[in-house]
Amino acid sequence: TLWYAAATKPWPPTPTAIFTAYGNLTRRTDKMKYVCDVCGWVYDEELGVPDDGIAPGTKFEDLPDDFACPLCGVGKEQFSKAD
């Protein structure tokens, strides 16, 4: 089984394989972060808030109108884009 895996994978890896792996590790995301101006809690669009039913990948503008900071309870109008 180990010999089979070694026999089926090219070694050394091709430059294309290395570039692809490196590119996947360094790929930037278009997801933003927003900080609560009152308590400093950070909403990360990439992570969402699964405990509150907000799926990962949910954009800040797509949050429900009644979204509140999980720590201090203020509305989303009290959030600013993180730098």
Side-chain angles (χ1 to χ4, degrees):
T1 58
L2 180 59
W3 63 268
Y4 177 77
T8 60
K9 301 212 186 249
W11 191 258
T14 64
T16 303
I18 293 170
F19 179 77
T20 301
Y22 180 75
N24 288 339
L25 292 174
T26 61
R27 185 179 309 149
R28 298 194 127 201
T29 172
D30 63 341
K31 304 296 183 201
M32 299 290 300
K33 293 182 182 181
Y34 293 81
V35 180
C36 176
D37 296 332
V38 175
C39 71
W41 182 80
V42 177
Y43 174 73
D44 186 338
E45 291 180 343
E46 190 170 358
L47 302 176
V49 190
D51 293 342
D52 292 341
I54 309 294
T58 303
K59 297 231 178 250
F60 187 78
E61 57 267 11
D62 295 336
L63 291 173
D65 292 333
D66 63 348
F67 174 79
C69 175
L71 289 184
C72 68
V74 299
K76 64 185 202 176
E77 65 279 351
Q78 295 290 323
F79 281 74
S80 303
K81 281 186 180 179
D83 293 329

